[in-house]
Amino acid sequence: MSDRRELLVAAREQVADGVVRLTLRDPNGDPVPAWEPGAHIDLLLDEGLERQYSLCGDPADRTELRIAVLREPVGRGGSAKVHSELVPGSRVRIRGPRNNFALVDAKRYLFLAGGIGITPILPMLAAADAARADWRLVYGGRTRASMAFADELRAEFGDRVTVCPQDETGLLDLDALLDAPDPATAVYCCGPEPLLAAVEQRCGSWPPGALHVERFAAVADNGPRAGFEVELARSGKTLTVTSDRSILETVEDAGVQVLSSCREGTCGTCETDVVEGTPDHRDSLLTEQEREAGETMMICVSRAQCAKLVLDL
């Protein structure tokens, strides 16, 4: 695809227990792709092994891209490959950037980060600070040694940053942080699923659109899996999606090329416009307002609430 390119690993440094930061540059010295806070890239590590990592550098610096990668001891091989093989001088293919976690304009921001979830929030802090917005970061992790960038953030931003290692302070006090809904505050949260679920629950009484989350892992799909038809408006094909196949798999089997990556509804690569019909959204990306509008869907996991969907494919 046209947004794929090969970059050079220019630097690598350990920034916390189990976390390395990689600096990627164009091998010919060309500018790297433009991006904004909240964006991520896909690392194309091997055939069928693609992983998404948030950009955590400076969007104004077009000479490099920076990512920080936690080695997951029970992961699926992506982080292990990054940690074991990507060293200065290595080449790596990327796709993107794309942004499903964009920073909206707001009077105030509350940033909540858990562990490696700090990465997409780093450039957001700089942007909010440059805009002279009122903001606060509460950053939790297992131990102080496991929390990348904690010391740098405290040194740069002082009391605006609260660092909460679980072994010292316990879990984040979300009840105190989110007890009073504020229409002027945008809440941004990234981290492990238990943190995201707890924040979503407590933000249930906040104004629609106040909470913005980004997930690294898919939410469990326990919904019914009936079959349905999909009509591909541009390809002129009508296909049957069986209960044991996804729309994406069915479309690929029919020879229609669709850009995809995570295949679990977390990265947004396969987002497709809906021409007719009502999607059954099962992704971890779209907001409630976007789900209700039904204008797009992630065809790697989402299904249909009707007998037939018409998609712009």
Side-chain angles (χ1 to χ4, degrees), residues 2 16 24 34 42 76 83 88 95 102 104-105 132 135 175 177-178 188 197 231-232 244 280:
S2 59
L24 308 177
D42 301 335
R76 296 169 297 160
H83 276 250
R95 182 168 53 216
V104 300
D105 291 332
R132 299 188 176 182
W135 65 267
D175 290 329
L177 291 167
L178 300 168
Y188 276 78
E231 179 183 331
L232 310 184
D244 61 338
D280 178 6

Side-chain angles (χ1 to χ4, degrees), residues 91-103:
R91 302 287 184 105
V92 62
R93 290 178 302 134
I94 74 159
R95 182 168 53 216
R98 288 190 310 280
N99 200 340
N100 304 309
F101 196 42
L103 186 66

Side-chain angles (χ1 to χ4, degrees), residues 1-8 24-34 41-44 62-63 65 91-97:
M1 294 293 179
S2 59
D3 65 343
R4 296 189 187 197
R5 62 190 297 176
E6 186 176 73
L7 296 181
L8 176 73
L24 308 177
R25 294 182 180 144
D26 187 275
N28 300 314
D30 294 334
V32 297
I41 57 172
D42 301 335
L43 288 193
L44 311 180
R62 296 292 302 280
T63 68
L65 299 175
R91 302 287 184 105
V92 62
R93 290 178 302 134
I94 74 159
R95 182 168 53 216

Side-chain angles (χ1 to χ4, degrees), residues 65-311:
L65 299 175
R66 287 188 169 189
I67 59 173
V69 180
L70 169 67
R71 180 157 192 162
E72 299 277 4
V74 291
R76 296 169 297 160
S79 67
K81 191 173 183 67
V82 170
H83 276 250
S84 64
E85 298 185 18
L86 294 189
V87 297
S90 301
R91 302 287 184 105
V92 62
R93 290 178 302 134
I94 74 159
R95 182 168 53 216
R98 288 190 310 280
N99 200 340
N100 304 309
F101 196 42
L103 186 66
V104 300
D105 291 332
K107 183 178 180 181
R108 284 185 291 276
Y109 298 94
L110 173 60
F111 298 103
L112 303 172
I116 197 63
I118 190 63
T119 52
I121 289 177
L122 291 175
M124 293 184 179
L125 302 182
D129 205 57
R132 299 188 176 182
D134 181 9
W135 65 267
R136 179 185 181 192
L137 166 67
V138 181
Y139 177 17
R142 291 179 293 104
T143 64
R144 194 173 294 272
S146 73
M147 298 174 67
F149 313 112
D151 292 341
E152 296 95 316
L153 289 169
R154 284 285 295 168
E156 183 173 0
F157 297 119
D159 291 342
R160 286 191 171 191
V161 175
T162 303
V163 175
C164 302
Q166 187 177 341
D167 63 342
E168 299 177 23
T169 64
L171 297 174
L172 301 186
D173 188 355
L174 298 179
D175 290 329
L177 291 167
L178 300 168
D179 66 337
D182 179 5
T185 297
V187 180
Y188 276 78
C189 182
C190 187
E193 182 57 32
L195 172 64
L196 299 181
V199 170
E200 286 176 328
Q201 181 184 32
R202 287 162 177 81
C203 283
S205 60
W206 281 61
L211 175 61
H212 307 261
V213 302
E214 181 162 67
R215 284 181 158 85
F216 295 135
V219 177
D221 175 12
N222 298 315
R225 298 185 62 84
F228 55 93
E229 287 190 337
V230 288
E231 179 183 331
L232 310 184
R234 285 189 280 127
S235 303
K237 297 182 178 183
T238 298
L239 310 173
T240 299
V241 181
T242 57
S243 61
D244 61 338
R245 303 286 281 170
S246 68
I247 298 175
L248 176 60
E249 290 168 331
T250 304
V251 168
E252 289 177 333
D253 288 347
V256 178
Q257 288 192 339
V258 180
L259 194 62
S260 67
S261 182
C262 73
R263 294 178 177 259
E264 56 183 21
T266 61
C267 76
T269 309
C270 70
E271 185 170 7
T272 300
D273 289 340
V274 178
V275 179
E276 292 180 21
T278 305
D280 178 6
H281 296 289
R282 305 188 184 193
D283 64 276
S284 304
L285 282 170
L286 296 177
T287 65
E288 286 305 314
Q289 292 83 358
E290 290 168 333
R291 289 168 182 255
E292 291 175 7
E295 296 175 352
T296 68
M297 66 185 299
M298 308 304 162
I299 63 171
C300 62
V301 291
S302 296
R303 302 186 69 80
Q305 295 186 38
C306 53
K308 182 179 180 180
L309 288 173
V310 183
L311 303 178

